[in-house]
């Protein structure tokens, strides 16, 4: 016998909100989710598995994740009290919204930017004030000032390099935003190591500044969910208050602590990807596509006389999968291409030449 039941209504404010999905389609060359094309070093894998074998799995992990926080603090020249770790940097963003957002409060975002900033804010019942970037996708300080005055955001999200445009905020922009924003300023640096500058050195107990980072991209560890932020001590305490007990499991804690011992290998992967990004960008200049300067491991392109989705389909017919942003607001006709291995990038460029021919 089958019993039928009517689904119960979810929270009213969720009805309008679609879940976040990154469409996955089978393809040989996968340049759609900005992961690293390279696995972490073999030595890391061996050390990780070896330590995992000694874990008392019947016990909860270290709730404070202290050894991991110490390792991250050392990596960046901070104290462990200034580091909050979580299940991917998306959980850091969620904790920030839970602690500083919520009903009656607002976050500010400057579109087009990472969709999860506004999405996570809404999931936590926080209002979203949408500012606009300039046509070249750089931050418009006039609009930052407008939003700061109109919405008095509790949290202002920046993203540098910005996903999906690759834009790196100019030197001096952050100081201006910190001056204008009434609440916390969060710089999402998921792609920070690919960029020429970082906001990390501006974090201190006297500034309302938080910088988030992830192990998903430069550290080649997307399968393990690990992200963190560096922030003033009181912000870290607030984030600990809203995090679930033992939210970072023992495997992620070990993985992250060991990963930073292979910083040199990470930086070598980053150098390879940056030089491939530059090679791709210059090859794209000879094709009939608009491109934007990127400080990340991806490039945004807009085919000039062709429909974006048609080009996306054409690439997929060559088994090359990129991200179709062409129907996203303010990104009409655009595709985002992750930088892969040299062979993958060659496959993409060859496919694109044929599709555009
Ligand atoms: C990929 C990405 C993240 C990473 O999220 P994780 O939860 O750490 O995997 C965060 N911010 C931006 C802008 C990203 O592109």
């Amino acid at each position: 016998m089958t019993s039928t039941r009517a689904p119960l209504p979810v929270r009213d404010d969720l009805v309008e909100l679609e879940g976040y999905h990154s469409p996955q389609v089978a393809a040989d060359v996968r340049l759609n989710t900005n992961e690293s094309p390279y696995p972490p070093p073999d030595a890391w894998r061996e050390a990780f598995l070896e330590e995992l074998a000694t874990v008392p799995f019947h016990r909860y992990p270290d709730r404070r994740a202290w050894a991991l926080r110490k390792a991250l603090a050392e990596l960046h020249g901070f104290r462990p009290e200034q580091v909050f770790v979580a299940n991917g940097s998306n959980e850091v963003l969620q904790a920030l919204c839970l602690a500083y957002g919520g009903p009656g409060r607002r976050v500010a975002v400057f579109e087009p930017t990472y969709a999860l900033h506004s999405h996570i804010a809404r999931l936590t019942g926080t209002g979203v004030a949408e500012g606009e970037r300039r046509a070249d996708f750089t931050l418009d300080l006039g609009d930052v000032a407008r939003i700061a005055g109109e919405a008095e955001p509790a949290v202002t999200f920046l993203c540098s390099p910005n996903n999906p445009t690759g834009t790196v905020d100019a030197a001096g922009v952050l100081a201006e935003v910190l001056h204008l924003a009434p609440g916390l300023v969060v710089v999402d640096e998921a792609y920070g190591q690919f960029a020429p500058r970082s906001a990390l050195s501006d974090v201190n107990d006297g500034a309302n500044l938080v910088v988030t980072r992830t192990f998903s991209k430069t550290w080649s560890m997307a399968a393990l969910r690990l992200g963190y932020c560096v922030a003033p001590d009181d912000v870290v305490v607030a984030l600990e208050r809203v995090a679930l007990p033992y939210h970072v499991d023992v495997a992620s804690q070990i993985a992250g602590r060991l990963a930073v011992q292979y910083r040199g290998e990470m930086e070598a992967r980053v150098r390879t990807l940056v030089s491939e990004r530059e090679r791709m960008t210059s090859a794209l200049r000879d094709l009939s596509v608009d491109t934007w300067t990127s400080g990340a491991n991806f490039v945004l392109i807009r085919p000039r006389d062709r429909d974006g989705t048609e080009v996306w389909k054409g690439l997929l017919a060559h088994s090359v999968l990129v991200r179709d942003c062409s129907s996203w607001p303010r990104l009409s006709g655009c595709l985002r291409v992750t930088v892969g291995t040299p062979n993958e990038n060659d496959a993409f460029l060859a496919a694109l030449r044929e599709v555009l021919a």
Side-chain angles (χ1 to χ4, degrees):
M1 242 185 51
T2 55
S3 71
T4 53
R5 53 175 283 281
L8 295 168
V10 297
R11 234 169 66 195
D12 290 346
D13 60 333
L14 288 188
V15 175
E16 300 286 296
L17 215 55
E18 269 183 53
Y20 177 81
H21 302 289
S22 178
Q24 295 292 343
V25 188
D28 294 337
V29 178
R30 312 176 59 82
L31 304 177
N32 62 324
T33 46
N34 297 345
E35 294 145 307
S36 173
Y38 302 109
D42 287 342
W44 169 86
R45 175 185 289 267
E46 278 163 35
F48 173 55
L49 295 179
E50 198 174 297
E51 190 165 335
L52 213 47
T54 70
V55 166
F57 284 107
H58 57 304
R59 299 297 184 189
Y60 282 113
D62 174 18
R63 182 165 178 171
R64 293 204 304 163
W66 197 249
L68 171 60
R69 287 166 65 188
K70 258 180 78 177
L72 290 169
E74 264 163 41
L75 177 72
H76 295 303
F78 287 90
R79 289 174 288 106
E81 290 86 352
Q82 294 168 294
V83 179
F84 173 76
V85 294
N87 272 278
S89 54
N90 282 321
E91 198 196 17
V92 178
L93 302 173
Q94 184 191 57
L96 285 161
C97 288
L98 285 171
Y100 293 97
R105 295 185 174 207
R106 285 156 306 282
V107 303
V109 295
F110 296 91
E111 300 288 355
T113 190
Y114 187 48
L116 267 288
H117 295 159
S118 48
H119 184 75
I120 292 171
R122 291 189 174 104
L123 288 179
T124 61
T126 315
V128 177
E130 280 187 3
E132 300 289 328
R133 287 170 178 266
R134 296 198 191 92
D136 65 359
F137 300 134
T138 57
L139 267 189
D140 178 347
L141 288 172
D143 218 42
V144 175
R146 179 182 68 84
I147 293 283
E150 284 176 15
E152 292 183 40
V155 180
T156 296
F157 282 113
L158 303 183
C159 192
S160 180
N162 185 43
N163 184 2
T165 64
T167 319
V168 177
D169 290 339
V173 161
L174 177 61
E176 295 285 340
V177 175
L178 281 167
H179 178 69
L180 292 168
L184 214 51
V185 174
V186 175
V187 184
D188 185 332
E189 288 195 354
Y191 305 95
Q193 295 94 332
F194 294 112
R197 64 187 147 266
S198 164
L200 272 173
S201 54
D202 294 306
V203 176
N204 63 72
D205 280 349
N208 288 324
L209 174 64
V210 176
V211 175
T212 68
R213 292 250 168 141
T214 176
F215 279 82
S216 300
K217 314 283 164 53
T218 47
W219 290 102
S220 298
M221 278 173 37
L224 286 154
R225 306 297 303 129
L226 189 60
Y228 62 98
C229 68
V230 180
D233 295 33
D234 63 294
V235 173
V236 172
V237 170
L239 299 179
E240 298 286 356
R241 268 170 81 164
V242 299
L244 294 175
Y246 311 107
H247 62 135
V248 181
D249 69 66
V250 68
S252 298
Q253 290 190 32
I254 294 171
R257 174 166 50 74
L258 293 174
V260 299
Q261 297 176 9
Y262 300 90
R263 177 188 193 163
E265 286 84 341
M266 180 276 283
E267 286 168 347
R269 293 194 299 276
V270 165
R271 278 195 298 277
T272 304
L273 292 169
V274 166
S275 82
E276 277 297 296
R277 178 187 75 207
E278 297 310 304
R279 184 175 75 88
M280 247 166 85
T281 309
S282 70
L284 286 164
R285 278 194 203 105
D286 297 333
L287 299 175
S288 183
V289 296
D290 295 326
T291 61
W292 287 267
T293 304
S294 170
N297 66 334
F298 55 82
V299 182
L300 191 73
I301 67 171
R302 178 156 54 204
R304 280 196 198 116
D305 335 291
R306 297 283 301 277
D307 178 67
T309 302
E310 287 307 311
V311 173
W312 181 84
K313 284 183 188 156
L315 291 170
L316 194 56
H318 289 77
S319 210
V320 175
L321 178 62
V322 302
R323 194 71 186 267
D324 184 4
C325 314
S326 61
S327 63
W328 300 4
R330 307 166 186 89
L331 291 167
S332 163
C334 290
L335 306 176
R336 190 194 67 195
V337 187
T338 307
V339 178
T341 63
N343 282 342
E344 289 174 329
N345 302 332
D346 285 341
F348 157 70
L349 288 168
L352 185 62
R353 274 186 205 104
E354 284 194 29
V355 171
L356 294 177

